[in-house]
Amino acid sequence: ETGVTQTPRHLVMGMTNKKSLKCEQHLGHNAMYWYKQSAKKPLELMFVYSLEERVENNSVPSRFSPECPNSSHLFLHLHTLQPEDSALYLCASSQGPGYEQYFGPGTRLTVT
Amino acid sequence: GENVEQHPSTLSVQEGDSAVIKCTYSDSASNYFPWYKQELGKRPQLIIDIRSNVGEKKDQRIAVTLNKTAKHFSLHITETQPEDSAVYFCAASSYGGSQGNLIFGKGTKLSVKP
């Protein structure tokens, strides 16, 4: 499946590191999303971009910084994370808000 | 904003039996209701969805029903098979406009015992 890809698939980082997650969609969609998936909150919406503009930020801490340079690419920049930020980070894309979302395989993040 | 409740959180059935997962939503403006299946270690994938202009939709062994008056919708899986074992998520949104983001339920872990 190559519709939505994410890199890296696994990431281990210390609390003082800076890293970035990348998402790319090849479906011609206009909206892209970042979700955090953990045992406590299975699918927690973090950020929404529609036509490259951020339309929603669900009170996410500033140590997570999204970037959407064009409609096909989405980044999540990480810095000074906490151990509780360890989770699976899923990217998704859709035609727009309220339409089927296609998920990427996720990045399994571990903060040590 | 929208709030989606999903029950049960875990469900165990014998192979061949039926499974039913129920969700309720709070925003009467919601008009799109998808169901996603997530197998262990894999990404969530859409298995069926329903829009508010219909009350029921079927696709082989899977069906979804919607009651807009009561604001609840359900997933029905008949003749369950071991490969149906997964976590199932319901979601609700209103399509069109910036308010149409999917709000997911907390998931149901379905185990089908052979």
Side-chain angles (χ1 to χ4, degrees):
Chain A
E1 298 177 53
T2 58
V4 181
T5 58
Q6 288 184 244
T7 54
R9 296 293 307 276
H10 301 271
L11 178 62
V12 179
M13 59 186 289
M15 289 191 286
T16 58
N17 290 161
K18 288 186 179 181
K19 296 287 184 182
S20 295
L21 310 185
K22 179 182 176 182
C23 176
E24 186 172 357
Q25 60 97 0
H26 309 273
L27 301 169
H29 288 162
N30 294 321
M32 297 187 77
Y33 311 79
W34 279 118
Y35 288 90
K36 177 184 178 181
Q37 188 171 42
S38 61
K40 291 185 177 180
K41 294 186 180 181
L43 274 171
E44 184 181 3
L45 180 65
M46 299 176 71
F47 299 103
V48 180
Y49 277 83
S50 180
L51 297 172
E52 301 155 42
E53 286 191 22
R54 190 162 76 190
V55 297
E56 186 152 341
N57 170 358
N58 276 358
S59 303
V60 178
S62 60
R63 57 186 184 269
F64 295 92
S65 175
E67 179 189 0
C68 188
N70 55 62
S71 59
S72 298
H73 294 87
L74 184 65
F75 295 89
L76 187 63
H77 304 298
L78 316 171
H79 65 98
T80 58
L81 294 191
Q82 304 298 312
E84 59 264 30
D85 297 322
S86 298
L88 180 69
Y89 288 84
L90 289 161
C91 171
S93 71
S94 74
Q95 286 180 261
Y99 288 90
E100 176 184 356
Q101 293 186 13
Y102 293 78
F103 286 85
T107 295
R108 175 66 64 183
L109 174 67
T110 303
V111 181
T112 60
Chain B
E2 177 64 277
N3 183 49
V4 176
E5 299 284 340
Q6 183 172 347
H7 299 280
S9 56
T10 60
L11 179 59
S12 181
V13 300
Q14 282 299 129
E15 183 178 359
D17 288 350
S18 295
V20 180
I21 303 170
K22 299 182 179 181
C23 289
T24 60
Y25 61 98
S26 60
D27 188 351
S28 57
S30 290
N31 51 18
Y32 174 60
F33 308 92
W35 286 88
Y36 284 80
K37 175 183 180 182
Q38 187 176 25
E39 296 178 51
L40 189 63
K42 296 191 176 181
R43 72 190 80 189
Q45 291 194 298
L46 182 76
I47 55 171
I48 195 166
D49 57 10
I50 191 167
R51 299 194 186 270
S52 58
N53 56 344
V54 297
E56 183 176 0
K57 184 176 178 180
K58 286 188 75 173
D59 183 2
Q60 300 182 336
R61 296 186 297 107
I62 294 173
V64 58
T65 58
L66 171 65
N67 183 327
K68 284 218 75 177
T69 303
K71 288 190 276 189
H72 67 71
F73 56 111
S74 300
L75 178 71
H76 305 254
I77 306 174
T78 58
E79 300 172 28
T80 53
Q81 301 168 2
E83 51 266 38
D84 294 329
S85 296
V87 178
Y88 292 80
F89 294 96
C90 65
S93 83
S94 58
Y95 55 92
S98 63
Q99 300 303 312
N101 300 316
L102 287 180
I103 304 301
F104 285 87
K106 291 189 175 181
T108 296
K109 184 177 181 181
L110 173 64
S111 300
V112 180
K113 297 180 178 179

